[in-house]
Amino acid sequence: MAEHSTREGSRREHIGGYEVLSRIGAGGMAETFRALRRGPGGIEQRVCLKRILPAWQSDARFVRMFLEEARIAARLRHATIVQVLDVGEHEGAPFLALELIEGADLRRVLDTENAHRRVLPADVVALLALELATALEHAHEHGVLHRDVSPANVLISQVGEVKLADFGIAKAQDGAAVTSTGFAKGKVAYMAPDYAATGKASTATDLFSLGVLLYEAASGRRPFRGAMRTPNDRAPLAKIAPHVPQRFVEIVERLLEPEPSDRHPSAGALFDAVAELTPTASARRALGALARAADAEVTTVEERTMESESPPFL
């Protein structure tokens, strides 16, 4: 998970063999910590520890979901996906040790730019598209659907690395895609109309969510409000983001097609389409600078949890 400035407590807790340095944040069922594991010879490794919130640690269903996240994420080994380093148990509750990304999540980056009434440069958005298409291609090739592609789950390092995180509600493609109450999982603002209507996720629904993310990254606003999900319900990207190349506009518009069959046939096909644009060599450096700036402004940007869906300024 992304590391950003937090207040370290005076008493150090230990979870398994890890020394807790500070709390990073909390979501609906889990909390994350910056932690340190010490090895022989003075070797130290900083990680992100994730564990179920105390209120849910005795709930067998939540424990199963948590361990399922570990099982799914451990199948994915790729530079654009946050890695699971360790799985353990402490005082009867499971925890994960995850790769710690020093920087900020894309939600924080976008909020910081919105606060200054700026949008991301077009080549930076193209780089995001390439990296996230690669992450989804890898996950889909391993039979895993993310089901919650959104800015809060995209981590940006201080050197411009892009990492897709939080497979907590991901499922293998042959797995159930609906909660026990019958509702599809994921953030509504980024959800494909076919997924919202049926609760059945697919590679095409992940691509739609990525389209919403890229539209927002390029323009500073989300394409849809509420349950609206048709082309007539949103402004054309070319109109509100004239700095974006027409070819990239076409790519994003295709991702947002209401019919799954009208979207790109795969994440790999999306990658090939975006690769034609060839983001500039400086795009990664610029993205790293944006992550550092967002992290530096953590005290002036409202803290958000993983469930945040508050709209940007436009």
Side-chain angles (χ1 to χ4, degrees):
M1 306 301 290
E3 177 181 9
H4 54 72
S5 301
T6 56
R7 183 177 300 173
E8 297 192 8
S10 58
R11 187 173 63 87
R12 294 283 172 82
E13 178 186 4
H14 283 78
I15 299 176
Y18 299 87
E19 179 183 347
V20 175
L21 302 178
S22 60
R23 194 168 188 262
I24 296 175
M29 61 172 274
E31 57 187 343
T32 54
F33 302 89
R34 185 186 298 107
L36 179 68
R37 177 168 60 182
R38 292 187 169 88
I43 296 174
E44 296 183 342
Q45 181 185 30
R46 285 185 175 238
V47 303
C48 169
L49 282 188
K50 184 174 184 177
R51 72 176 179 185
I52 300 174
L53 287 165
W56 300 105
Q57 289 177 3
S58 61
D59 189 309
R61 184 171 69 92
F62 278 100
V63 172
R64 285 196 302 271
M65 288 174 59
F66 189 84
L67 293 176
E68 178 71 358
E69 172 185 358
R71 185 187 70 80
I72 290 173
R75 292 164 57 179
L76 306 176
R77 306 294 297 179
H78 198 275
T80 57
I81 294 175
V82 173
Q83 300 297 292
V84 175
L85 305 176
D86 190 17
V87 181
E89 186 175 283
H90 178 71
E91 297 180 348
F95 68 84
L96 305 180
L98 305 170
E99 178 183 11
L100 180 64
I101 310 302
E102 298 183 8
D105 62 52
L106 182 58
R107 174 76 277 144
R108 188 177 302 281
V109 170
L110 294 178
D111 286 349
T112 300
E113 293 305 288
N114 283 337
H116 294 282
R117 306 190 70 82
R118 298 189 299 249
V119 294
L120 302 189
D123 59 344
V124 167
V125 182
L127 177 61
L128 286 170
L130 276 175
E131 300 287 75
L132 294 174
T134 303
L136 288 179
E137 180 181 29
H138 181 76
H140 293 170
E141 285 178 346
H142 285 75
V144 174
L145 304 173
H146 190 278
R147 301 199 304 155
D148 193 18
V149 178
S150 59
N153 290 332
V154 175
L155 308 184
I156 312 297
S157 79
Q158 294 182 2
V159 294
E161 299 166 299
V162 180
K163 305 268 187 175
L164 184 59
D166 200 352
F167 283 78
I169 64 170
K171 284 287 184 180
Q173 292 182 35
D174 57 355
V178 185
T179 69
S180 59
T181 56
F183 293 105
K185 294 179 178 179
K187 297 182 181 68
V188 173
Y190 300 89
M191 193 175 291
D194 40 305
Y195 184 27
T198 67
K200 294 180 180 179
S202 68
T203 57
T205 59
D206 274 352
L207 291 177
F208 183 96
S209 297
L210 178 54
V212 177
L213 180 154
L214 294 174
Y215 183 109
E216 180 181 357
S219 68
R221 61 181 287 180
R222 294 176 188 155
F224 306 107
R225 296 189 181 277
M228 299 183 294
R229 291 293 187 277
T230 67
N232 293 333
D233 295 326
R234 60 179 168 81
L237 181 58
K239 181 178 179 180
I240 61 172
H243 65 290
V244 176
Q246 180 58 32
R247 178 60 184 135
F248 190 74
V249 168
E250 294 168 357
I251 290 169
V252 175
E253 295 286 0
R254 184 175 179 184
L255 288 171
L256 296 176
E257 287 288 347
E259 291 297 326
S261 60
D262 291 334
R263 299 168 201 155
H264 295 79
S266 67
L270 171 62
F271 177 90
D272 291 341
V274 179
E276 298 173 5
L277 300 174
T278 315
T280 65
S282 62
R284 193 175 302 280
R285 179 182 295 179
L287 185 56
L290 289 168
R292 294 193 301 273
D295 186 42
E297 293 196 18
V298 67
T299 57
T300 61
V301 178
E302 180 185 1
E303 290 289 335
R304 288 171 171 81
T305 69
M306 289 181 289
E307 300 301 318
S308 173
E309 288 193 30
S310 56
F313 74 90
L314 289 176

